[in-house]
Amino acid sequence: MNVFILKIIALISMIIDHYGAIFHSDIELYRIIGRSAFPIYCFLLVEGYTHTSDVKRYLKRLFIFAIISEIPFDLAFYGKIEFLHQNIFFTLSIGLLAIYLIDDNGRKFNFSRTTVYIGTCLIATLFFVDYSFIGIIYILQFYQIRNLPNAKGLLNVALIMFLINLFSAGWIQQFSLLALPIIYLHNGKLGLKNKFIQFFFYAAYPLHLMIFYIVNLIKI
């Protein structure tokens, strides 16, 4: 299963999750299906970091889409501009920054691993980003296992995810573990890739949220 297929699965899972949250909040099945999306995106973030030739440009792109997505995110989930919850691109941006600081081979910043862990988790919490510090822990765990054998590494991630979900999230979040067998099938290949496809996967996030907002507005 290549990166392109993983992106498709994550995108579909995310859209189902958001559809349920916005239109059918009383039906938990949508949220259960949607739990697979974020761990896959965390894995893909680490893959992207591993293969990118320009981490700063990658981080800049994530942050730009975080800004672009914030209004559609707020409107879709709150019906107004709201600063109490920031979209997932902010979470991914902080997670990528954490990886970059930890993997600073030139020791330009000279931050310890513990400092980066605590600092980025604190930032995610204070700025109320989606998934909060849990999201940063997910990302950093996938980063930690990047060089381990697939099965062994994913078992380590599964244990951490289970524990952090148990103590810091609702029971539905445990279904995020269902993403790991899907990730296990990753074959290390990129699959279909070009500039348009890359843009599509970024733009799909704010676009589907804006569509959901408009549909919800029409229904009202």
Side-chain angles (χ1 to χ4, degrees):
M1 189 177 293
N2 58 45
V3 165
F4 177 76
I5 299 300
L6 285 177
K7 287 182 178 179
I8 292 291
I9 292 172
L11 178 61
I12 293 172
S13 175
M14 178 183 66
I15 292 175
I16 291 172
D17 180 47
H18 291 167
Y19 174 79
I22 294 168
F23 297 105
H24 299 285
S25 58
D26 57 325
I27 302 177
E28 293 174 339
L29 179 61
Y30 292 110
R31 310 312 307 279
I32 289 172
I33 294 172
R35 293 309 89 207
S36 295
F38 184 63
I40 296 175
Y41 280 125
C42 292
F43 172 78
L44 291 172
L45 182 77
V46 175
E47 283 291 295
Y49 173 82
T50 303
H51 292 97
T52 188
S53 58
D54 191 337
V55 178
K56 292 180 181 178
R57 186 171 64 180
Y58 187 15
L59 181 58
K60 180 181 178 181
R61 185 163 61 244
L62 286 174
F63 188 72
I64 288 173
F65 272 92
I67 299 298
I68 292 172
S69 300
E70 190 57 25
I71 290 179
F73 177 82
D74 290 346
L75 293 176
F77 287 104
Y78 300 104
K80 60 180 181 179
I81 305 302
E82 177 64 72
F83 295 103
L84 294 178
H85 189 186
Q86 321 313 324
N87 72 78
I88 200 65
F89 271 116
F90 283 108
T91 315
L92 296 175
S93 298
I94 296 170
L96 181 61
L97 176 62
I99 293 172
Y100 177 66
L101 293 176
I102 289 174
D103 197 29
D104 176 25
N105 294 324
R107 306 318 305 166
K108 179 179 178 181
F109 300 101
N110 202 30
F111 294 131
S112 70
R113 189 179 297 262
T114 301
T115 299
V116 173
Y117 263 75
I118 295 174
T120 51
C121 284
L122 188 60
I123 290 171
T125 302
L126 292 176
F127 283 91
F128 304 103
V129 301
D130 209 10
Y131 281 92
S132 188
F133 68 93
I134 295 176
I136 307 304
I137 292 174
Y138 277 24
I139 292 167
L140 291 175
Q141 288 308 305
F142 278 110
Y143 171 72
Q144 294 299 331
I145 66 148
R146 69 197 184 285
N147 295 322
L148 290 177
N150 216 344
K152 181 180 179 181
L154 288 176
L155 283 173
N156 289 341
V157 172
L159 177 60
I160 297 299
M161 285 176 59
F162 174 79
L163 291 175
I164 198 69
N165 292 342
L166 182 64
F167 294 108
S168 304
W171 66 271
I172 286 181
Q173 189 57 29
Q174 293 294 8
F175 286 94
S176 62
L177 293 167
L178 295 177
L180 299 182
I182 299 173
I183 294 170
Y184 178 74
L185 297 176
H186 175 55
N187 59 16
K189 298 180 180 179
L190 292 177
L192 190 61
K193 182 183 179 182
N194 56 50
K195 291 293 183 181
F196 173 78
I197 290 174
Q198 182 185 50
F199 177 78
F200 168 77
F201 281 116
Y202 279 93
Y205 182 78
L207 183 60
H208 88 275
L209 290 174
M210 201 64 199
I211 291 172
F212 283 173
Y213 168 67
I214 293 171
V215 170
N216 211 12
L217 202 62
I218 293 172
K219 286 176 59 179
I220 296 173

